[in-house]
Amino acid sequence: MLKYLVPIGLFAALVGFLYFGLGRDKQTLPSPLIGKSAPVFELTRLEDPAKTFSNAELAGKPYVLNVWGTWCVGCRQEHGALLEIARRGEVPIVGLNWNDDREAALGWLQQLGNPYAVTAFDGEGRAAIDWGVYGAPETFLVGANGTVIKKHIAPLTVEIWEQEFVPLLPQAKAGSP
Amino acid sequence: MKQFFLALVLALCGLQAFAIDKAPAFEDPVQQARYERLSRELRCLVCRSETIADSNAQLATDLRRQLRELMAAGKSDQEIMKYMTDRYGDYVLYKPPVSPRTWLLWAAPALLVIGGGIAAAIVISRKSKLSDTDPADPGLGDT
């Protein structure tokens, strides 16, 4: 009896491993930032290199940080969704223009529309490293108390926004973790 | 012949040299060696199976710059690794740390050897107890 049980058991274990391996999302890495305070950056504004913007200015208010670049295909894909989310006005969207060219980025916003309340220009990718960004588009939700509540990697859609972000908005506004 | 092999070894060592940056990052060879070692311990998160020492991705270039700056600021290896894992998680380490989530990964080779050894021992001891019943096989005893 044992003679048959052992190979069948091993086979079942292998099938189990493979099955769960198939279903797992190996592309999206968990962010160590969730539940911690959002890294502070001070960068020049996209539209004016003489003016700076720091996310410290947003203390006490929830906001969304969207990391994008004109070289990023997924960013073009999600742009319509960002415009719709901005139109609803539930929470302001801050843009982080990552490793990009200022002129190209301004042209992009002019051509496709500008969903961002303000866009910071991170030409050297320093703020992006502090935020643990590895692949645009990435979208963070930051609460009123300054903690990172959620991170979404991959293009945003209105459906994902409604299902994964909107339920977190009361928490983001209250600022309690 | 000896000289040929020496030349070959030297040529292969040359291939090992750090080629991804246009110029050596540090003038001090000790610091340069440390820089090369640390950059081989950090994963490029865009290209996953490459270290930041191997990758030409923009993120890897940025992380190498960050590494150089942290080293220049006099940070220890531990502080640098903490800086990276605080931002990117354990995944940024090319060699995963032993933790409750990874012990099976680290123990797998030993477990496989032990399991295989036990299976082999059982099979061998069983087979050696069997009497030779095959009439077509004269067996070793008859010769």
Side-chain angles (χ1 to χ4, degrees):
Chain A
M1 194 58 191
L2 192 72
K3 204 174 167 184
Y4 297 105
L5 277 180
V6 170
I8 289 172
L10 286 175
F11 180 70
L14 185 66
V15 168
F17 271 116
L18 293 177
Y19 181 77
F20 287 109
L22 266 184
R24 270 183 60 213
D25 174 9
K26 289 184 234 18
Q27 282 303 309
T28 312
L29 300 175
S31 171
L33 246 59
I34 306 295
K36 303 221 175 92
S37 33
V40 173
F41 59 79
E42 186 170 0
L43 295 164
T44 61
R45 287 169 181 254
L46 178 64
E47 71 281 4
D48 186 354
K51 283 190 195 150
T52 59
F53 169 76
S54 168
N55 57 339
E57 292 169 28
L58 296 168
K61 290 177 209 146
Y63 63 96
V64 162
L65 184 85
N66 178 254
V67 184
W68 66 284
T70 52
W71 44 267
C72 150
V73 181
C75 301
R76 185 171 283 263
Q77 215 176 316
E78 72 170 5
H79 203 79
L82 290 177
L83 287 170
E84 171 60 21
I85 293 161
R87 196 192 57 77
R88 294 182 185 181
E90 293 156 307
V91 57
I93 307 175
V94 174
L96 186 69
N97 184 234
W98 181 36
N99 282 340
D100 207 353
D101 175 74
R102 208 182 277 270
E103 290 303 311
L106 285 169
W108 160 296
L109 292 182
Q110 209 158 37
Q111 190 197 338
L112 300 174
N114 186 355
Y116 304 111
V118 55
T119 304
F121 180 70
D122 190 14
E124 290 192 311
R126 287 176 193 275
I129 288 178
D130 281 341
W131 282 73
V133 169
Y134 64 86
E138 292 190 11
T139 308
F140 297 84
L141 176 63
V142 181
N145 63 353
T147 52
V148 179
I149 294 174
K150 181 172 171 62
K151 177 180 185 181
H152 177 78
I153 303 164
L156 200 60
T157 62
V158 174
E159 287 74 43
I160 293 171
W161 173 256
E162 284 173 352
Q163 283 162 19
E164 297 182 19
F165 283 82
V166 171
L168 296 172
L169 289 181
Q171 179 195 340
K173 282 175 182 152
S176 59
Chain B
M1 199 60 187
K2 217 172 187 178
Q3 275 166 340
F4 169 76
F5 276 114
L6 187 67
L8 188 70
V9 166
L10 286 177
L12 290 173
C13 287
L15 289 178
Q16 282 279 309
F18 216 64
I20 198 117
D21 292 326
K22 286 190 185 80
F26 294 92
E27 283 183 17
D28 176 8
V30 179
Q31 282 287 74
Q32 177 66 19
R34 185 175 161 230
Y35 167 66
E36 289 173 17
R37 178 172 55 77
L38 288 174
S39 60
R40 288 209 173 85
E41 287 175 19
L42 291 167
R43 186 188 300 275
C44 166
L45 293 110
V46 188
C47 14
R48 300 294 168 91
S49 54
E50 285 182 313
T51 64
I52 61 168
D54 305 319
S55 175
N56 263 322
Q58 183 62 44
L59 181 66
T61 312
D62 288 354
L63 286 176
R64 283 199 302 276
R65 179 200 63 210
Q66 212 69 25
L67 173 60
R68 284 194 298 273
E69 289 177 1
L70 289 168
M71 285 178 58
K75 301 280 185 211
S76 72
D77 288 9
Q78 252 184 333
E79 284 170 323
I80 292 172
M81 289 304 164
K82 187 172 183 313
Y83 175 94
M84 294 295 177
T85 51
D86 278 351
R87 284 158 181 74
Y88 288 101
D90 282 347
Y91 199 80
V92 76
L93 304 176
Y94 210 69
K95 194 174 155 188
V98 182
S99 76
R101 279 177 63 224
T102 57
W103 73 264
L104 191 61
L105 176 73
W106 282 103
L111 288 177
L112 285 174
V113 167
I114 292 169
I118 292 171
I122 290 172
V123 169
I124 290 167
S125 75
R126 269 204 204 144
K127 295 265 175 186
S128 59
K129 277 181 203 147
L130 292 178
S131 53
D132 193 351
T133 50
D134 187 352
D137 178 6
L140 289 172
D142 292 348
T143 52

